[in-house]
Amino acid sequence: MAARWIEASPKGIYVRPADAWIDPSVPVERALVTHGHADHARGGHGTSWATPETLAIMALRYGDIAGVPVAYGETVSLGPVDISYVPAGHVLGSAQILLEHAGERVVVTGDYKRRDDPTCAPFEPVPCDVLVTEATFGLPVFRHPPIGQEIDRLLGALHAAPERCVLVGAYALGKAQRVIAELRAHGHADPIYIHGALERMCDLYRDFGVELGELYPATAASAEQLRGKVVLCPPSALNDRWSRRLPDPITAMASGWMRVRQRARQKNVELPLVISDHADWDELTATIREVAPSEIWVTHGREEALVHWCGLHQMQARALALVGYEDEDEG
């Protein structure tokens, strides 16, 4: 077994010679954080090492934190371990963590995707001895369509019913900003209206140079102003009292989970948009081939199918029993 100096426990991955944890689920003295989603970045750590963007997201969500910024491509050392942060393509500031020690290279992907995204740096494959990979969509049924196809469906629904609005449920960090940026890239120049829970994160993205165009608070607009417009909200607000004031909304949701029709029906989604910020099955398997590790550790997702695929291709793999990962709305 490779990399005996790292170990997995239910609360995260422990890097023993650095005395540090990667994305721990409980407060620790030293945390190496891959990105800002709440199932990976938590408050209460003694010190957090992360990209400047991720530290800003953590500060927005948790208040003052003791953080050490690590830019993409920069290497820091904790004890005898060299640590580098490499773009993961998941959300703003998301990173894979490369650990180098005792002649071995370990890459922890965190969450990642391989598709183009105008709101964050693209994924960079890193050759390594051990790959610790996510498997959120680690089943062959999950093959994400091109995002342009889903944005066209959204705009088609909007134009077909100008007396209504399209209300899109989108996770507050990453998904909402990506949907807005993709709408802009597809020529949608109209103001976009957003739920108050999205405002501060959209402002943070703008602070880091991500252009989102005209955004207005939906609560300040009349029903008449919202006709023929796109409105974004957190998935939890799709069917609550807040949405009842909207003009006969076409309820949409942007998530890789919208591939599963039962999930769309459960959430009363009229327009399921299969837009994911995670790698799909083909991208997971292609990345493993490209990185060519001698060992694969699979975590937070459909571990069994990906471990089985590795075995069929004569690759050594095992599933990790980590807890506290994966928000199903954040697909």
Side-chain angles (χ1 to χ4, degrees):
M1 175 181 159
R4 293 183 181 274
W5 43 275
I6 63 172
E7 55 193 66
S9 83
K11 71 177 184 181
I13 295 169
Y14 182 55
V15 186
R16 195 183 315 109
D19 190 22
W21 293 83
I22 297 176
D23 291 351
S25 60
V26 297
V28 299
E29 188 58 34
R30 292 178 164 189
L32 309 175
V33 181
T34 61
H35 67 283
H37 280 142
D39 57 339
H40 293 258
R42 294 168 169 85
H45 301 311
T47 304
S48 298
W49 283 260
T51 63
E53 297 90 340
T54 294
L55 290 177
I57 290 165
M58 292 175 69
L60 179 65
R61 291 186 151 181
Y62 305 123
D64 290 339
I65 60 169
V68 178
V70 185
Y72 291 136
E74 182 182 354
T75 298
V76 297
S77 296
L78 286 180
V81 183
D82 290 336
I83 302 164
S84 306
Y85 281 59
V86 182
H90 178 56
V91 297
L92 182 70
S94 62
Q96 307 168 78
I97 297 178
L98 168 63
L99 308 166
E100 297 178 276
H101 174 64
E104 292 181 308
R105 291 162 58 90
V106 176
V107 169
V108 180
T109 67
D111 292 336
Y112 78 94
K113 71 171 177 290
R114 302 297 302 263
R115 307 293 176 98
D116 289 339
D117 181 343
T119 69
C120 65
F123 178 91
E124 295 179 13
V126 181
C128 58
D129 301 296
V130 176
L131 179 69
V132 184
T133 179
E134 68 139 309
T136 302
F137 291 109
L139 289 172
V141 68
F142 291 113
R143 289 181 164 93
H144 306 323
I147 190 170
Q149 171 183 311
E150 301 303 279
I151 295 296
D152 286 344
R153 292 178 59 235
L154 192 167
L155 292 173
L158 185 71
H159 297 151
E163 74 284 0
R164 305 175 70 184
C165 69
V166 176
L167 175 62
V168 183
Y171 199 74
L173 168 54
K175 188 66 61 63
Q177 296 78 21
R178 186 183 180 203
V179 169
I180 293 167
E182 291 287 355
L183 282 165
R184 301 309 189 197
H186 281 71
H188 185 73
D190 285 2
I192 292 173
Y193 292 84
I194 60 175
H195 187 284
L198 307 183
E199 290 182 22
R200 292 196 304 162
M201 197 62 72
C202 288
D203 288 343
L204 185 148
Y205 265 64
R206 284 169 156 163
D207 290 343
F208 281 96
V210 178
E211 181 51 56
L212 300 175
E214 286 187 272
L215 303 179
Y216 295 110
T219 51
S222 67
E224 193 60 37
Q225 288 174 306
L226 295 173
R227 295 187 194 280
K229 297 296 190 290
V230 175
V231 182
L232 268 73
C233 70
S236 59
L238 275 177
N239 299 301
D240 72 5
R241 186 179 304 171
W242 176 89
S243 66
R244 295 175 193 168
R245 53 184 296 279
L246 303 178
D248 190 17
I250 299 168
T251 303
M253 184 166 169
S255 171
W257 296 115
M258 290 298 97
R259 173 67 75 189
V260 183
R261 292 180 181 179
Q262 184 179 0
R263 292 214 185 194
R265 287 196 295 268
Q266 286 172 345
K267 295 180 179 292
N268 298 316
V269 172
E270 184 178 346
L271 179 64
L273 301 170
V274 185
I275 298 174
S276 177
D277 286 333
H278 295 264
D280 67 8
W281 174 259
D282 290 335
E283 291 159 346
L284 289 168
T285 56
T287 299
I288 291 171
R289 291 183 188 275
E290 186 175 4
V291 171
S294 58
E295 195 169 322
I296 301 103
W297 299 4
V298 186
T299 185
H300 57 284
R302 277 75 215 150
E303 295 102 332
E304 296 80 5
L306 197 57
V307 169
H308 179 68
W309 178 90
C310 290
L312 291 176
H313 292 82
Q314 290 74 54
M315 299 176 186
Q316 187 174 347
R318 67 185 181 109
L320 303 185
L322 304 185
V323 298
Y325 290 100
E326 187 188 317
D327 181 327
E328 72 169 27
D329 289 336
E330 184 274 299

